[in-house]
Amino acid sequence: NAGVTQTPKFQVLKTGQSMTLQCAQDMNHNSMYWYRQDPGMGLRLIYYSASEGTTDKGEVPNGYNVSRLNKREFSLRLESAAPSQTSVYFCASRGLAGLQQETQYFGPGTRLLVL
Amino acid sequence: KQEVTQIPAALSVPEGENLVLNCSFTDSAIYNLQWFRQDPGKGLTSLLLIQSSQREQTSGRLNASLDKSSGRSTLYIAASQPGDSATYLCAASVSGGSYIPTFGRGTSLIVHP
């Protein structure tokens, strides 16, 4: 049981390059989330997926796209990276609300530097 | 919009002290409140989750309380140890919708020997 896994752990991009951050969970959770964490700003929600086949914007979606590939996997894509997207990105998952699976579990993070 | 505030932003205490971390939220219609720990360069680890119908939860030396009417939660750490040094974050999920948690900015705790 690996929990929530993220790849890559660290990435350096040049402005304008694209990349996809991968996230997978093996807890059979319905909901998955992408956050970014910046000094002084805390955790901010980029996109989330309440269930397989659905995605919704969070607080800071501009410049990002997501795909809920199946129940296990939720990817985040930067189409044209900008220095403002330098951050630490966390993926998280959570079970169904109302059941005893509501704890949110986080991956180890991806550290992204855009030059 | 739910806003979550954590005070203090940073705290340094000697080993052995009992301490309290504070979390306040603006929308009292919360569904649950969760406390997390984050070590430097790592992801978040869940410590305790309190449902809106509960007043407190305990795990080992940790006790979290919830007072919806005043919009406050506290995390009590008993007999602090250097290994407790980390950043502690709280997150409040609002009833209805997709139960999206709103995070505070955290309290950075240092426990020195």
Side-chain angles (χ1 to χ4, degrees):
Chain A
N1 189 337
V4 180
T5 57
Q6 292 183 236
T7 57
K9 287 184 170 54
F10 182 73
Q11 184 74 46
V12 179
L13 292 178
K14 295 180 180 179
T15 296
Q17 287 185 318
S18 62
M19 77 163 295
T20 299
L21 283 66
Q22 306 286 354
C23 174
Q25 52 90 11
D26 61 2
M27 295 173 283
N28 200 34
H29 284 170
N30 287 290
S31 300
M32 298 185 73
Y33 310 80
W34 276 105
Y35 294 90
R36 59 178 290 173
Q37 187 176 41
D38 303 287
M41 299 296 292
L43 271 167
R44 293 183 291 172
L45 182 66
I46 305 171
Y47 271 93
Y48 68 98
S49 171
S51 61
E52 185 178 357
T54 68
T55 60
D56 285 287
K57 296 178 180 179
E59 183 183 354
V60 289
N62 291 345
Y64 305 95
N65 285 300
V66 291
S67 295
R68 183 73 183 266
L69 303 170
N70 46 56
K71 192 170 186 179
R72 290 186 63 250
E73 299 172 289
F74 189 37
S75 63
L76 178 71
R77 183 162 178 83
L78 287 69
E79 291 291 351
S80 179
S84 61
Q85 294 178 304
T86 293
S87 187
V88 181
Y89 291 85
F90 289 103
C91 177
S93 70
R94 186 165 71 172
L96 285 173
L99 302 178
Q100 298 303 314
Q101 299 185 65
E102 295 167 5
T103 297
Q104 200 173 29
Y105 293 88
F106 280 76
T110 294
R111 284 146 188 80
L112 176 65
L113 174 63
V114 183
L115 301 174
Chain B
K1 177 186 172 185
Q2 177 77 282
E3 293 182 4
V4 178
T5 304
Q6 292 187 247
I7 295 173
L11 185 62
S12 180
V13 300
E15 181 177 7
E17 274 204 8
N18 301 324
L19 55 99
V20 174
L21 306 182
N22 295 296
C23 171
S24 61
F25 46 91
T26 56
D27 188 344
S28 61
I30 67 168
Y31 182 73
N32 61 39
L33 188 136
Q34 196 164 359
W35 282 92
F36 294 87
R37 168 185 173 138
Q38 185 176 28
D39 293 290
K42 303 292 186 182
L44 281 69
T45 300
S46 178
L47 296 173
L48 291 164
L49 182 148
I50 311 175
Q51 299 287 4
S52 62
S53 59
Q54 298 174 317
R55 292 295 300 250
E56 63 180 288
Q57 282 284 342
T58 298
S59 176
R61 294 182 295 108
L62 305 180
N63 176 276
S65 66
L66 175 64
D67 184 344
K68 290 194 302 179
S69 62
S70 66
R72 292 184 59 191
S73 176
T74 60
L75 179 67
Y76 176 83
I77 303 176
S80 58
Q81 304 170 356
D84 295 330
S85 299
T87 296
Y88 292 81
L89 297 96
C90 66
S93 296
V94 179
S95 298
S98 299
Y99 304 93
I100 303 297
T102 300
F103 282 81
R105 296 187 180 183
T107 294
S108 177
L109 173 66
I110 296 176
V111 181
H112 49 88

